[in-house]
Amino acid sequence: MKVAIIDYGSGNLRSASKAFERAAGELGLTAEINVTSRPEDVTAADRIVLPGVGAFADCQSGLNAVDGMWQALEQAVHADGKPFLGICVGMQLMAERGLEFGVTPGFGWLAGDVVAIKPDDPSLKIPHMGWNTLNPKRPHDVLDGIVTGDDGLHAYFVHSFHLQVERAEDLVAETRYGGDITAIVARDNMIGTQFHPEKSQTLGLHLIANFLRWTP
Amino acid sequence: MLKSRIIPCLDVKDGRVVKGVNFVNLRDAGDPVESAKAYDAAGADELCFLDITASHEDRDIIFDVVSRTAEQCFMPLTVGGGVRTVDDIRKLLLAGADKVSINTAAVNDRALVRAASEKFGAQCIVVAIDAKRTSESRDKWKIFTHGGRKETGIDAIEFAKEVTALGAGELLLTSMDRDGTGDGFDLKLTRAISDAVPVPVIASGGVGSLDHLVAGVIEGGASAVLAASIFHFGTYSISEAKQYMARAGVPVRIDP
């Protein structure tokens, strides 16, 4: 199995690729984890991972700056239906628009916008940074075997914006931080996590393993 | 519910772990990658490396330490010490750091904080503030640079507000008066800064008991507590600290 982790200059991907290697190894899967900025690798991949840190607009323009990458992702993910995992801003890019520093178009694979978190308690700190639990909104294979809820496992979040989906069925899990925050989205062959599975120890490695054996 | 974080900090000099007491009298306490793996396994919420390597030539060692750590630890890693330029930050992030902390350079060059935040995102820019009470007032603190050796005369609360406005995503606040004493955080300082800024504050300096960790969150208003000696020399384990905090009513992450 070929897994392409898209490198477009947004942060370090070594820990992400190591986390995927570890998860694949624990499953006994022979997986070739390829950190790449070449559109042809996306075309050749069986599974695609889009990470992303920083601002929505920055990531969008970074991705667009890689010749042919945007189109290769559109084709592989949206048209060909390959299993896709977006992480943090990589997940937010699945939305129609990002509203951080002006209005920036995303892939539009999910109906909705990326908006600022507005906690109902103004003393809560922004970014929402640290370990939080997940509240599932509907079942999904990516959560198989992961204990959720208030007494469940924790995921590592660091963000000031989140994806507000228009269609309720696209929302798989939320987390709570002065209101409900989108934590996992999914539609067809696509999954997105606002938190960082590659930094989320037990929960993260389990979720990555679930993604690697997922059949949409 | 978001949990309060416990962050062990490893002072790294020439690729080896040390712990300063009041920033002098360094003791060698092992290999940073091995220590990082141990903390990862013990359930630490994040790790912090502070590079205190003196000579410029030896500073590249930290990149190797960071990259080997990031390959083995699936938890957030903050690295600070000697960060002067956007390029220093880029190199640390590329080596595998998730956040980079800036101390002296944030004071000397405020534009660096803005440039770094715009380039890499506020989420990975931590400004480390070393603060000391002034002799005039119990409720005033001035900041120090160069690992606490150089006085600046700048008010800590004003500086905290300023760097936050420039794009710092988190503050690592160390009390110079308490660091290495084991007497507990300067809670007034922690509370004053935490109330003054919208971003998370990591309390640091002075932890000698588990009560101090609890107080840092409840009385100081810190989002995270950082300690070195009590964990590093085995006085308490991360798990003991978390169980204690949980019993004291501080929400912490206890994952199997």
Side-chain angles (χ1 to χ4, degrees), chain A residues 113-124:
Chain A
D113 287 341
V114 176
V115 301
I117 301 171
K118 289 203 178 64
D120 48 26
D121 173 357
S123 75
L124 285 177

mmCIF file with all atom_site columns, all heavy atoms in Angstrom, chain A residues 113-124:
data_model
loop_
_atom_site.group_PDB
_atom_site.id
_atom_site.type_symbol
_atom_site.label_atom_id
_atom_site.label_alt_id
_atom_site.label_comp_id
_atom_site.label_asym_id
_atom_site.label_entity_id
_atom_site.label_seq_id
_atom_site.pdbx_PDB_ins_code
_atom_site.Cartn_x
_atom_site.Cartn_y
_atom_site.Cartn_z
_atom_site.occupancy
_atom_site.B_iso_or_equiv
_atom_site.pdbx_formal_charge
_atom_site.auth_seq_id
_atom_site.auth_comp_id
_atom_site.auth_asym_id
_atom_site.auth_atom_id
_atom_site.pdbx_PDB_model_num
ATOM 1  N N   . ASP A 1 113 ? -17.872 26.454 6.328  1.00 0.00 ? 113 ASP A N   1
ATOM 2  C CA  . ASP A 1 113 ? -16.805 27.446 6.412  1.00 0.00 ? 113 ASP A CA  1
ATOM 3  C C   . ASP A 1 113 ? -15.907 27.158 7.615  1.00 0.00 ? 113 ASP A C   1
ATOM 4  O O   . ASP A 1 113 ? -16.332 26.523 8.578  1.00 0.00 ? 113 ASP A O   1
ATOM 5  C CB  . ASP A 1 113 ? -17.393 28.851 6.599  1.00 0.00 ? 113 ASP A CB  1
ATOM 6  C CG  . ASP A 1 113 ? -18.037 29.375 5.321  1.00 0.00 ? 113 ASP A CG  1
ATOM 7  O OD1 . ASP A 1 113 ? -17.717 28.843 4.230  1.00 0.00 ? 113 ASP A OD1 1
ATOM 8  O OD2 . ASP A 1 113 ? -18.867 30.301 5.425  1.00 0.00 ? 113 ASP A OD2 1
ATOM 9  N N   . VAL A 1 114 ? -14.687 27.672 7.535  1.00 0.00 ? 114 VAL A N   1
ATOM 10 C CA  . VAL A 1 114 ? -13.766 27.587 8.663  1.00 0.00 ? 114 VAL A CA  1
ATOM 11 C C   . VAL A 1 114 ? -13.827 28.929 9.403  1.00 0.00 ? 114 VAL A C   1
ATOM 12 O O   . VAL A 1 114 ? -13.453 29.962 8.850  1.00 0.00 ? 114 VAL A O   1
ATOM 13 C CB  . VAL A 1 114 ? -12.340 27.272 8.186  1.00 0.00 ? 114 VAL A CB  1
ATOM 14 C CG1 . VAL A 1 114 ? -11.372 27.277 9.362  1.00 0.00 ? 114 VAL A CG1 1
ATOM 15 C CG2 . VAL A 1 114 ? -12.311 25.922 7.477  1.00 0.00 ? 114 VAL A CG2 1
ATOM 16 N N   . VAL A 1 115 ? -14.329 28.877 10.622 1.00 0.00 ? 115 VAL A N   1
ATOM 17 C CA  . VAL A 1 115 ? -14.619 30.109 11.372 1.00 0.00 ? 115 VAL A CA  1
ATOM 18 C C   . VAL A 1 115 ? -13.854 30.139 12.694 1.00 0.00 ? 115 VAL A C   1
ATOM 19 O O   . VAL A 1 115 ? -13.417 29.102 13.198 1.00 0.00 ? 115 VAL A O   1
ATOM 20 C CB  . VAL A 1 115 ? -16.135 30.237 11.657 1.00 0.00 ? 115 VAL A CB  1
ATOM 21 C CG1 . VAL A 1 115 ? -16.923 30.257 10.356 1.00 0.00 ? 115 VAL A CG1 1
ATOM 22 C CG2 . VAL A 1 115 ? -16.607 29.093 12.546 1.00 0.00 ? 115 VAL A CG2 1
ATOM 23 N N   . ALA A 1 116 ? -13.727 31.335 13.262 1.00 0.00 ? 116 ALA A N   1
ATOM 24 C CA  . ALA A 1 116 ? -13.034 31.488 14.540 1.00 0.00 ? 116 ALA A CA  1
ATOM 25 C C   . ALA A 1 116 ? -13.817 30.806 15.666 1.00 0.00 ? 116 ALA A C   1
ATOM 26 O O   . ALA A 1 116 ? -15.046 30.829 15.670 1.00 0.00 ? 116 ALA A O   1
ATOM 27 C CB  . ALA A 1 116 ? -12.849 32.971 14.859 1.00 0.00 ? 116 ALA A CB  1
ATOM 28 N N   . ILE A 1 117 ? -13.082 30.194 16.593 1.00 0.00 ? 117 ILE A N   1
ATOM 29 C CA  . ILE A 1 117 ? -13.709 29.636 17.793 1.00 0.00 ? 117 ILE A CA  1
ATOM 30 C C   . ILE A 1 117 ? -14.125 30.800 18.683 1.00 0.00 ? 117 ILE A C   1
ATOM 31 O O   . ILE A 1 117 ? -13.332 31.703 18.942 1.00 0.00 ? 117 ILE A O   1
ATOM 32 C CB  . ILE A 1 117 ? -12.711 28.766 18.582 1.00 0.00 ? 117 ILE A CB  1
ATOM 33 C CG1 . ILE A 1 117 ? -12.191 27.626 17.725 1.00 0.00 ? 117 ILE A CG1 1
ATOM 34 C CG2 . ILE A 1 117 ? -13.328 28.249 19.862 1.00 0.00 ? 117 ILE A CG2 1
ATOM 35 C CD1 . ILE A 1 117 ? -11.041 26.875 18.394 1.00 0.00 ? 117 ILE A CD1 1
ATOM 36 N N   . LYS A 1 118 ? -15.374 30.772 19.136 1.00 0.00 ? 118 LYS A N   1
ATOM 37 C CA  . LYS A 1 118 ? -15.828 31.816 20.063 1.00 0.00 ? 118 LYS A CA  1
ATOM 38 C C   . LYS A 1 118 ? -16.389 31.162 21.312 1.00 0.00 ? 118 LYS A C   1
ATOM 39 O O   . LYS A 1 118 ? -17.573 30.878 21.401 1.00 0.00 ? 118 LYS A O   1
ATOM 40 C CB  . LYS A 1 118 ? -16.900 32.678 19.377 1.00 0.00 ? 118 LYS A CB  1
ATOM 41 C CG  . LYS A 1 118 ? -16.349 33.570 18.284 1.00 0.00 ? 118 LYS A CG  1
ATOM 42 C CD  . LYS A 1 118 ? -17.266 34.763 18.016 1.00 0.00 ? 118 LYS A CD  1
ATOM 43 C CE  . LYS A 1 118 ? -16.705 35.686 16.950 1.00 0.00 ? 118 LYS A CE  1
ATOM 44 N NZ  . LYS A 1 118 ? -16.605 35.031 15.632 1.00 0.00 ? 118 LYS A NZ  1
ATOM 45 N N   . PRO A 1 119 ? -15.508 30.939 22.315 1.00 0.00 ? 119 PRO A N   1
ATOM 46 C CA  . PRO A 1 119 ? -15.992 30.261 23.525 1.00 0.00 ? 119 PRO A CA  1
ATOM 47 C C   . PRO A 1 119 ? -17.036 31.109 24.245 1.00 0.00 ? 119 PRO A C   1
ATOM 48 O O   . PRO A 1 119 ? -16.929 32.344 24.255 1.00 0.00 ? 119 PRO A O   1
ATOM 49 C CB  . PRO A 1 119 ? -14.731 30.144 24.398 1.00 0.00 ? 119 PRO A CB  1
ATOM 50 C CG  . PRO A 1 119 ? -13.583 30.518 23.532 1.00 0.00 ? 119 PRO A CG  1
ATOM 51 C CD  . PRO A 1 119 ? -14.115 31.353 22.424 1.00 0.00 ? 119 PRO A CD  1
ATOM 52 N N   . ASP A 1 120 ? -18.045 30.433 24.817 1.00 0.00 ? 120 ASP A N   1
ATOM 53 C CA  . ASP A 1 120 ? -19.076 31.200 25.532 1.00 0.00 ? 120 ASP A CA  1
ATOM 54 C C   . ASP A 1 120 ? -18.520 31.795 26.830 1.00 0.00 ? 120 ASP A C   1
ATOM 55 O O   . ASP A 1 120 ? -19.077 32.726 27.371 1.00 0.00 ? 120 ASP A O   1
ATOM 56 C CB  . ASP A 1 120 ? -20.333 30.339 25.787 1.00 0.00 ? 120 ASP A CB  1
ATOM 57 C CG  . ASP A 1 120 ? -20.017 28.974 26.356 1.00 0.00 ? 120 ASP A CG  1
ATOM 58 O OD1 . ASP A 1 120 ? -18.959 28.847 27.008 1.00 0.00 ? 120 ASP A OD1 1
ATOM 59 O OD2 . ASP A 1 120 ? -20.803 28.035 26.152 1.00 0.00 ? 120 ASP A OD2 1
ATOM 60 N N   . ASP A 1 121 ? -17.400 31.232 27.320 1.00 0.00 ? 121 ASP A N   1
ATOM 61 C CA  . ASP A 1 121 ? -16.736 31.804 28.489 1.00 0.00 ? 121 ASP A CA  1
ATOM 62 C C   . ASP A 1 121 ? -15.532 32.610 28.005 1.00 0.00 ? 121 ASP A C   1
ATOM 63 O O   . ASP A 1 121 ? -14.551 32.053 27.534 1.00 0.00 ? 121 ASP A O   1
ATOM 64 C CB  . ASP A 1 121 ? -16.290 30.662 29.412 1.00 0.00 ? 121 ASP A CB  1
ATOM 65 C CG  . ASP A 1 121 ? -15.438 31.149 30.581 1.00 0.00 ? 121 ASP A CG  1
ATOM 66 O OD1 . ASP A 1 121 ? -15.147 32.368 30.644 1.00 0.00 ? 121 ASP A OD1 1
ATOM 67 O OD2 . ASP A 1 121 ? -15.062 30.312 31.420 1.00 0.00 ? 121 ASP A OD2 1
ATOM 68 N N   . PRO A 1 122 ? -15.598 33.944 28.092 1.00 0.00 ? 122 PRO A N   1
ATOM 69 C CA  . PRO A 1 122 ? -14.532 34.777 27.518 1.00 0.00 ? 122 PRO A CA  1
ATOM 70 C C   . PRO A 1 122 ? -13.170 34.608 28.191 1.00 0.00 ? 122 PRO A C   1
ATOM 71 O O   . PRO A 1 122 ? -12.157 35.026 27.644 1.00 0.00 ? 122 PRO A O   1
ATOM 72 C CB  . PRO A 1 122 ? -15.059 36.211 27.704 1.00 0.00 ? 122 PRO A CB  1
ATOM 73 C CG  . PRO A 1 122 ? -16.131 36.119 28.720 1.00 0.00 ? 122 PRO A CG  1
ATOM 74 C CD  . PRO A 1 122 ? -16.672 34.733 28.697 1.00 0.00 ? 122 PRO A CD  1
ATOM 75 N N   . SER A 1 123 ? -13.141 33.970 29.368 1.00 0.00 ? 123 SER A N   1
ATOM 76 C CA  . SER A 1 123 ? -11.843 33.790 30.028 1.00 0.00 ? 123 SER A CA  1
ATOM 77 C C   . SER A 1 123 ? -11.087 32.591 29.455 1.00 0.00 ? 123 SER A C   1
ATOM 78 O O   . SER A 1 123 ? -9.916  32.381 29.777 1.00 0.00 ? 123 SER A O   1
ATOM 79 C CB  . SER A 1 123 ? -12.035 33.624 31.536 1.00 0.00 ? 123 SER A CB  1
ATOM 80 O OG  . SER A 1 123 ? -12.530 32.332 31.807 1.00 0.00 ? 123 SER A OG  1
ATOM 81 N N   . LEU A 1 124 ? -11.754 31.795 28.610 1.00 0.00 ? 124 LEU A N   1
ATOM 82 C CA  . LEU A 1 124 ? -11.068 30.642 28.014 1.00 0.00 ? 124 LEU A CA  1
ATOM 83 C C   . LEU A 1 124 ? -10.012 31.129 27.020 1.00 0.00 ? 124 LEU A C   1
ATOM 84 O O   . LEU A 1 124 ? -10.251 32.052 26.246 1.00 0.00 ? 124 LEU A O   1
ATOM 85 C CB  . LEU A 1 124 ? -12.059 29.717 27.308 1.00 0.00 ? 124 LEU A CB  1
ATOM 86 C CG  . LEU A 1 124 ? -12.930 28.854 28.220 1.00 0.00 ? 124 LEU A CG  1
ATOM 87 C CD1 . LEU A 1 124 ? -13.924 28.047 27.392 1.00 0.00 ? 124 LEU A CD1 1
ATOM 88 C CD2 . LEU A 1 124 ? -12.084 27.921 29.073 1.00 0.00 ? 124 LEU A CD2 1
#
